[in-house]
Amino acid sequence: AGGTGTVEPTVRTNFADTAFWSAAIVTNQKGEAEVEWTMPENLSSWKLRTWALGKGTRVGENTTELVTTKNLLLRLQAPRFFVETDEVVLSANVHNYLKTAKSVKVLLEVNDCLVPLDAAEKTVRIDATGEQRVDWRVRVAHEGTATVRMKALTNEESDAMEMKFPAKVHGIPKTVSFSGQIRPDGK
C-alpha cells in the first residue's frame, strides 16, 4: 500500500441517522446480551444508549460513545437539491490523519443531470493532520436525480462518497394580468 499507485476506495453510500435500534433484547441468566449490526458508512461519533428493565423495580441505564473514522476521509458537500439551469459549487473536504503529508488525487464523477464546468480531477498536497477543500462548479442540465460521487486517492489509503440529490424543474415566471371596472351601481 505504500507504492506509487493509488488505493481504490470502497464508495460509501449508506448514511443513516440511527445505526441500530431494538425495542427488546432478551438477556441470558447472567443479565448479558450480545448484539451485532452493520454500522452505517457515516464517519461520525455515535452515542450508544441502553436501558435495562428487570423484575419489580430493577432498572438500569448506560451511555457510551463510539467513533467511526478513517485515516484519510472525504466529506462531500452539496446543496440539498438542485434546480435545472442553476450553476452550483460541489465541495470535497479531504482530511489527512495519516502520519505523513500526501499528494491526494481528488475526483468528481456525476451523472448526466450535472455538467462539470471544471476539470473532474484535481491533485492537492495535504500535510499530516491537515485538510484541504476542493471545489467544482457544475451546471444542472435537466430535472431528475443527480448522482454525485467524489473520491480522494493516495498510495496509502483512499476514501469515496456517493450521494443522490433531487434536481427539480426550473419553473417559468408567470404573471396573470387583467383589468376591469366596477360600475357605480355595483354591477
Side-chain angles (χ1 to χ4, degrees):
T4 57
T6 58
V7 175
E8 192 60 35
T10 299
V11 179
R12 296 183 291 117
T13 58
N14 177 23
F15 305 104
D17 294 329
T18 301
F20 175 81
W21 184 86
S22 177
I25 299 170
V26 179
T27 63
N28 62 19
Q29 291 294 329
K30 295 180 183 177
E32 300 170 337
E34 190 171 302
V35 178
E36 289 186 25
W37 70 90
T38 301
M39 289 295 290
E41 295 173 321
N42 310 47
L43 300 180
S44 182
S45 60
W46 300 87
K47 190 168 278 196
L48 302 175
R49 295 175 182 234
T50 57
W51 294 269
L53 305 172
K55 293 182 181 185
T57 59
R58 297 176 62 191
V59 296
E61 175 185 9
N62 194 19
T63 301
T64 190
E65 288 199 17
L66 167 71
V67 176
T68 54
T69 189
K70 295 181 79 172
N71 290 322
L72 183 92
L73 68 92
L74 178 141
R75 289 184 300 114
L76 184 156
Q77 289 186 311
R80 291 181 297 127
F81 62 90
F82 301 110
V83 177
E84 187 178 28
T85 74
D86 281 356
E87 283 188 17
V88 298
V89 173
L90 303 176
S91 298
N93 288 299
V94 183
H95 299 259
N96 179 10
Y97 298 117
L98 297 164
K99 293 180 179 172
T100 60
K102 289 290 175 185
S103 175
V104 183
K105 186 189 309 181
V106 188
L107 305 169
L108 172 68
E109 298 171 358
V110 295
N111 67 350
D112 65 344
C113 274
L114 302 174
V115 177
L117 303 175
D118 299 320
E121 181 179 314
K122 299 181 180 185
T123 301
V124 293
R125 178 179 166 76
I126 305 176
D127 292 332
T129 70
E131 66 181 86
Q132 181 76 37
R133 177 176 152 172
V134 178
D135 293 331
W136 293 273
R137 290 180 314 115
V138 297
R139 185 176 46 78
V140 185
H142 59 81
E143 62 90 22
T145 300
T147 301
V148 178
R149 182 182 307 117
M150 295 179 183
K151 296 179 179 180
L153 309 172
T154 74
N155 64 343
E156 189 174 346
E157 191 171 323
S158 297
D159 191 23
M161 283 183 73
E162 177 181 296
M163 296 180 78
K164 296 183 184 302
F165 303 92
K168 300 183 178 200
V169 174
H170 175 70
I172 60 169
K174 183 176 179 182
T175 304
V176 177
S177 301
F178 60 91
S179 65
Q181 66 183 31
I182 299 177
R183 295 183 164 265
D185 60 3
K187 295 181 180 178

